[in-house]
Amino acid sequence: MTLRLSTASIYATGTSQINTLQSQIAKTQMQLSTNKRVLTAADDPIASARALEVTQSQSMNTQFGTNRSAARASLSLVDKTLQDVSAQMTDIQSLIVTAGNGGYTQSDREALATELEGRLKDMLGLANTADGTGGYLFSGYKSTTQPFTQTTTGATYQGDQGQRSLQVGSTRKMPISESGSAIFETIKTGNGKFQALQGDANTGSGIVSPGSVVDSSKLTGDNYAINFTKTGTPAVTTYTVVDTSKNPTVNVLEDQPYTAGASITFDGMSLDIKGEPADGDTFSVKPSENQSVFTTITDLIQTLRMPADGSTGKAELANRLAEAGSNMKNALDNVLTVQASVGAREKELDYLDSTGDDLNIQYQSTLEDLTGLDMVKAISLFSQQQTTLQAAQVSFKTMSGLSLFNYIS
């Protein structure tokens, strides 16, 4: 049987083969130029699907890195502002110590009060620091609301207790702001557990210490009064500690001899009173309360401007200065605690950045394994395809040139 091929068939077959070879070499050339083995999903469906997942994870990791940069900028501003706040509080503590100088006159204390007014405005300015994006650092979720407005008794907080957050990792959402209420408002008075205050009607020279907790298991959270009595000739001073929260009231300690500076201990608390309390003088002991630092400074300014005449006036000044000193110490401790928390978050961002960089390298390596090109193998294949195409072109030319008319003279 004789197989006959038409000229049209020879041309069609040859052209088809050459087109196929040209397509293959064009694909290899594209792989070489992009350094990728998988150009379309059809090249390797499984690797392509997996590469898409890895690419999405890599994009999310990149976004987390951008979020961390924004978080670091915000936390750095918070940290710097809190440093300035703590410096102001330290200066105010120094002014309180200075105000207690026994040689100071009323005009000297008036000068300190004027200086404190400036410090108060500076503190309010720091509390109302802008975040650089049209909002405020310490207003919580109410970012466009000015946090504090000065009043006659201190300042009013107009923000909320929220903390703005950013997603800085696949499983980590980090607060990037602080509530002004937590920094400036919720400051414990006294020693942080209880506060000891002199009575408004005292006429003696008794000065009470902030006191301390000696046994926290015995704390009751009740209010107490330490009442002084002078009887006999010569006069003997005694005191009675009364639990005024009970109904009827209960004497915790009764008719105890008073010794200046000696410890008065009851219900897990201990304090001392110096000086000479007068008959009928009283001191109160009650649980610590939350008080704004701006109220503390405002009260301190008023204290410095009140007369401090005689032993009674000097004792009242000393008691009020001690109270202000304790409150400012608590305020500074609170700011330092918040600042430590901010610093810890900044350090955590460094660790997350390092982890993010490692993840990016891992994702890139995985993508290279899935879609990357073996350059040596691809160049070898490209050379082979070139040789095959050239051979096909030569053979097609030869085949298409065969004709009986070439041999007829």
Side-chain angles (χ1 to χ4, degrees):
M1 179 178 177
T2 302
L3 180 64
R4 294 182 179 181
L5 297 175
S6 66
T7 300
S9 175
I10 292 173
Y11 272 86
T13 301
T15 301
S16 175
Q17 290 174 339
I18 289 174
N19 287 339
T20 299
L21 290 172
Q22 284 178 330
S23 297
Q24 290 174 348
I25 198 171
K27 178 180 178 181
T28 303
Q29 185 181 25
M30 183 64 72
Q31 288 175 329
L32 286 168
S33 64
T34 60
N35 196 27
K36 288 185 177 181
R37 177 180 64 85
V38 180
L39 299 175
T40 65
D43 296 336
D44 190 336
I46 295 177
S48 182
R50 176 62 182 143
L52 180 60
E53 293 177 355
V54 174
T55 301
Q56 289 175 337
S57 297
Q58 189 177 38
S59 297
M60 289 181 64
N61 187 53
T62 301
Q63 183 59 54
F64 291 147
T66 302
N67 289 357
R68 286 193 293 272
S69 295
R72 182 177 286 104
S74 179
L75 289 174
S76 296
L77 183 55
V78 172
D79 189 17
K80 176 62 174 65
T81 304
L82 291 180
Q83 287 180 19
D84 294 340
V85 169
S86 61
Q88 287 285 347
M89 289 182 174
T90 301
D91 288 345
I92 291 173
Q93 284 183 307
S94 298
L95 288 176
I96 293 173
V97 174
T98 301
N101 189 325
Y104 268 41
T105 64
Q106 186 59 43
S107 60
D108 293 329
R109 289 190 290 273
E110 176 64 34
L112 291 178
T114 301
E115 182 177 351
L116 275 172
E117 287 178 333
R119 300 287 185 178
L120 177 59
K121 291 187 181 299
D122 291 341
M123 190 80 76
L124 279 167
L126 291 171
N128 289 328
T129 299
D131 61 8
T133 60
Y136 295 92
L137 277 185
F138 304 124
S139 58
Y141 293 133
K142 297 182 178 180
S143 59
T144 58
T145 301
Q146 179 176 299
F148 291 95
T149 302
Q150 188 171 0
T151 64
T152 55
T153 59
T156 300
Y157 182 60
Q158 301 170 118
D160 57 30
Q161 282 67 47
Q163 285 183 292
R164 298 189 290 278
S165 300
L166 270 180
Q167 193 77 32
V168 295
S170 58
T171 60
R172 180 67 168 108
K173 193 172 185 179
M174 179 179 289
I176 60 170
S177 68
E178 292 292 338
S179 163
S181 176
I183 298 173
F184 301 100
E185 294 259 297
T186 55
I187 311 299
K188 292 296 183 182
T189 55
N191 58 28
K193 292 296 183 179
F194 66 88
Q195 55 181 333
L197 306 171
Q198 72 164 16
D200 293 335
N202 284 7
T203 58
S205 60
I207 300 174
V208 64
S209 71
S212 61
V213 175
V214 293
D215 189 346
S216 58
S217 65
K218 293 182 179 179
L219 294 177
T220 64
D222 289 350
N223 295 328
Y224 299 87
I226 305 175
N227 300 321
F228 284 85
T229 304
K230 280 193 173 183
T231 57
T233 305
V236 176
T237 304
T238 60
Y239 64 87
T240 297
V241 179
V242 182
D243 187 335
T244 58
S245 293
K246 297 289 192 297
N247 189 13
T249 59
V250 175
N251 291 343
V252 179
L253 297 174
E254 190 169 3
D255 293 333
Q256 300 294 306
Y258 167 71
T259 301
S263 295
I264 300 174
T265 304
F266 57 94
D267 288 352
M269 299 177 288
S270 179
L271 54 88
D272 64 75
I273 298 174
K274 298 181 176 66
E276 291 293 333
D279 184 38
D281 280 0
T282 184
F283 294 84
S284 63
V285 179
K286 59 182 181 179
S288 295
E289 302 169 342
N290 290 333
Q291 179 172 291
S292 167
V293 67
F294 303 113
T295 298
T296 296
I297 299 173
T298 301
D299 290 346
L300 177 58
I301 292 171
Q302 294 173 352
T303 295
L304 292 176
R305 284 179 169 154
M306 72 178 190
D309 301 326
S311 59
T312 300
K314 291 179 180 179
E316 183 177 3
L317 175 64
N319 280 317
R320 291 183 181 274
L321 289 177
E323 178 186 352
S326 295
N327 292 346
M328 286 305 303
K329 176 184 179 300
N330 295 340
L332 179 58
D333 289 344
N334 185 66
V335 169
L336 293 177
T337 299
V338 175
Q339 193 174 354
S341 174
V342 172
R345 275 173 271 166
E346 288 181 296
K347 188 171 184 179
E348 183 182 354
L349 286 174
D350 292 337
Y351 288 124
L352 289 173
D353 274 344
S354 178
T355 301
D357 291 342
D358 292 343
L359 276 175
N360 196 52
I361 293 173
Q362 181 180 341
Y363 289 141
Q364 196 61 41
S365 176
T366 302
L367 284 174
E368 185 66 26
D369 292 340
L370 290 170
T371 64
L373 182 69
D374 185 335
M375 191 64 72
V376 175
K377 182 178 179 181
I379 292 174
S380 176
L381 177 61
F382 183 75
S383 298
Q384 181 183 351
Q385 289 172 335
Q386 274 186 314
T387 303
T388 303
L389 178 60
Q390 290 170 355
Q393 289 171 335
V394 171
S395 65
F396 176 71
K397 180 180 179 182
T398 303
M399 286 289 294
S400 62
L402 291 177
S403 173
L404 183 60
F405 293 103
N406 294 334
Y407 299 97
I408 297 176
S409 58

